[in-house]
Amino acid sequence: MNYDQHIDQALMRLHEEGRYRVFQNIRRKNQQFPRAVWTKLDGSTKEIMVWCGNDYLGMGQHPVVLEALKDAADMAGAGSGGTRNISGNTSYHHQLENELADLHKKERAVVFTSAYNANEATLSVLPKLFPGLIILSDELNHASMIEGIRHGFCEKHVFRHNDVAHLREVLQSLPADAPKLIAFESLYSMDGDFGPITEICDLADEFNALTYIDEVHAVGLYGKRGGGITERDNLTQRIDIINGTLAKAYGVMGGYIATSDKLADAIRSYAPGFIFTTSLPPAVAAAAAASVAFLKTDNSLRDIHQAKAQHLKDRLRALNLPLDDHGSHIVPVHVGNPVKCKMLSDMLLEDHGVYVQPINFPTVPRGTERLRFTPSPVHTDKMINDLVTALDALWQHCALNRMEKSA
């Protein structure tokens, strides 16, 4: 067996398909984000504007967050020193979990090192807690949810994306007395569309199923206190388990679930992904708790964020660029070709100082490759104008399709 040959062939396939991933050397400039410094392969540097970050509100540089981070680091040091059940359980972790439980009006929250970890660990352990569990999963659920369900080794059914009628068909085909769980997202990050939460909850009530929702791209951004789409639509109490992240709107790191006290206790007690993982550094937990607490009482950043997203979409629509707009803050512009998508990304970075990564398969289906822009409150109107001008010129240069003008 020539192992190197197989590795070379696997990497070559990615290059040939135009979807080999390049990790650019980007250093964000504190207090100046979205400005960042790009270090090229030759060692030279260039100031750029980040247009694909998930720090949606710029909280990663907010003084309240930085102060909490520094204070906790001074008090507790750099790392946690172990898993939660060994020595990595601190007052900072408890404070963060209390903030999150309060955010979602749930009895308890459990913090993980990432939302991926939270999804995978929780969904894989639920079949152990509910023998015979059948999980129904939206076909566009995040990879972490898919992996969690797969590792649970239970019966699963995939329903068509946001297709409530198809979900009903699947539920009707299952034994009435079997334990069931519906797993879906409130906001799908690649297209920016919302899940039909009310309708899914109605079906869950009708067929006695549990509900599990991923609010990763909505927490901090929607709802009066940042509780996500479920809070915005007054549906929080209809969801059994809420998954969220601390690495996007809250600008730090980590993930969590919020649920009932008993279920949270069982998950933390049985999930290997929680039990055997070193906990978040105390400084990170403190910074996340400060960010969550701040965004519960300050809506100004959320309002500006939505306004900036709408402004960018209006500008792109005026140029008839192929934009998907489902009313969320996600701004995907379709290219439909992996090679051209990567080419556009490279030219935007090199020639215009705009950093946006190409989104190719397997993150999105083949033929739907796109550039995914994430405007934030700290993107100025001038930055938006520079981006739109560059896109207009490159779209013409690459002879890419535009949408037909609206009637």
Side-chain angles (χ1 to χ4, degrees):
M1 168 65 73
N2 187 329
Y3 294 101
D4 284 342
Q5 181 180 357
H6 283 274
I7 295 171
D8 290 340
Q9 289 173 349
L11 291 173
M12 184 58 67
R13 285 195 298 270
L14 294 178
H15 282 288
E16 290 173 349
E17 295 174 16
R19 59 187 186 92
Y20 178 79
R21 296 170 188 258
V22 175
F23 300 121
Q24 301 290 359
N25 188 341
I26 305 294
R27 177 176 59 81
R28 299 180 358 145
K29 300 179 75 170
N30 187 22
Q31 305 302 311
Q32 298 181 54
F33 184 74
R35 291 178 174 82
V37 176
W38 171 41
T39 301
K40 304 181 185 182
L41 293 177
D42 62 6
S44 63
T45 60
K46 179 178 182 176
E47 182 173 288
I48 60 170
M49 301 297 173
V50 176
W51 273 101
C52 59
N54 286 333
D55 186 358
Y56 289 132
L57 300 178
M59 290 300 293
Q61 63 182 7
H62 196 284
V64 168
V65 176
L66 295 181
E67 182 179 359
L69 180 84
K70 294 172 184 175
D71 287 348
D74 288 341
M75 289 288 292
S80 69
T83 63
R84 290 287 291 277
N85 66 310
I86 295 179
S87 63
N89 187 45
T90 71
S91 59
Y92 301 105
H93 296 87
H94 285 285
Q95 179 188 3
L96 175 56
E97 288 179 337
N98 289 338
E99 287 286 359
L100 293 167
D102 172 74
L103 174 68
H104 295 292
K105 299 301 180 186
K106 296 296 185 183
E107 293 176 344
R108 192 167 177 179
V110 180
V111 169
F112 294 77
T113 53
S114 71
Y116 189 108
N117 181 214
N119 269 335
E120 198 280 333
T122 302
L123 286 167
S124 66
V125 81
L126 289 176
K128 297 182 179 69
L129 302 178
F130 306 108
L133 181 67
I134 301 171
I135 297 182
L136 300 93
S137 174
D138 187 288
E139 67 176 334
L140 293 189
N141 276 343
H142 190 265
S144 58
M145 301 175 75
I146 295 170
E147 287 300 299
I149 295 168
R150 179 180 294 138
H151 294 157
F153 302 106
C154 66
E155 181 178 342
K156 65 178 180 181
H157 296 268
V158 177
F159 59 93
R160 291 187 293 270
H161 178 53
N162 281 350
D163 190 333
V164 179
H166 185 219
L167 175 58
R168 170 179 284 278
E169 290 177 13
V170 177
L171 285 165
Q172 287 175 329
S173 71
L174 302 176
D177 59 347
K180 295 174 278 289
L181 178 139
I182 305 171
F184 63 110
E185 299 184 33
S186 66
L187 175 55
Y188 292 84
S189 64
M190 289 301 107
D191 291 320
D193 58 328
F194 298 99
I197 304 174
T198 299
E199 293 84 351
I200 288 177
C201 287
D202 288 344
L203 285 177
D205 290 344
E206 182 179 347
F207 290 91
N208 192 27
L210 297 172
T211 49
Y212 184 105
I213 194 167
D214 180 311
E215 285 257 45
V216 161
H217 289 272
V219 290
L221 303 175
Y222 297 86
K224 185 178 180 181
R225 301 195 310 154
I229 306 302
T230 48
E231 183 195 33
R232 184 196 70 178
D233 296 346
N234 297 313
L235 297 169
T236 303
Q237 295 308 313
R238 301 191 67 186
I239 300 293
D240 294 294
I241 306 173
I242 296 175
N243 167 274
T245 186
L246 304 165
K248 293 180 170 58
Y250 294 117
V252 192
M253 178 186 175
Y256 64 89
I257 58 161
T259 184
S260 68
D261 184 70
K262 283 186 179 181
L263 187 50
D265 192 22
I267 290 168
R268 76 167 189 97
S269 299
Y270 278 88
F274 176 83
I275 297 171
F276 298 106
T277 300
T278 298
S279 66
L280 288 177
V284 172
S291 186
V292 173
F294 178 84
L295 288 175
K296 285 179 182 177
T297 59
D298 191 309
N299 280 295
S300 60
L301 287 176
R302 279 191 282 276
D303 293 340
I304 299 171
H305 180 230
Q306 291 294 323
K308 293 290 185 180
Q310 189 60 53
H311 180 45
L312 176 57
K313 288 186 285 188
D314 289 343
R315 291 292 307 277
L316 294 174
R317 191 178 291 107
L319 294 172
N320 298 305
L321 293 182
L323 164 72
D324 266 353
D325 183 5
H326 296 278
S328 73
H329 63 281
I330 304 294
V331 186
V333 179
H334 283 260
V335 179
N337 179 292
V339 175
K340 289 188 176 181
C341 198
K342 178 66 167 60
M343 184 189 308
L344 278 171
S345 173
D346 290 342
M347 290 190 293
L348 282 168
L349 183 60
E350 183 66 53
D351 301 334
H352 301 275
V354 169
Y355 176 55
V356 56
Q357 278 288 73
I359 307 294
N360 293 333
F361 179 85
T363 306
V364 295
R366 299 180 193 273
T368 69
E369 293 81 7
R370 68 201 65 180
L371 299 174
R372 175 181 171 274
F373 298 96
T374 54
S376 74
V378 291
H379 284 94
T380 66
D381 288 347
K382 182 182 183 305
M383 292 175 190
I384 291 176
N385 186 70
D386 291 344
L387 168 64
V388 171
T389 301
L391 278 175
D392 188 28
L394 289 177
W395 225 259
Q396 183 172 346
H397 175 76
C398 296
L400 293 169
N401 293 330
R402 303 193 186 224
M403 297 186 297
E404 294 183 5
K405 292 183 180 295
S406 302

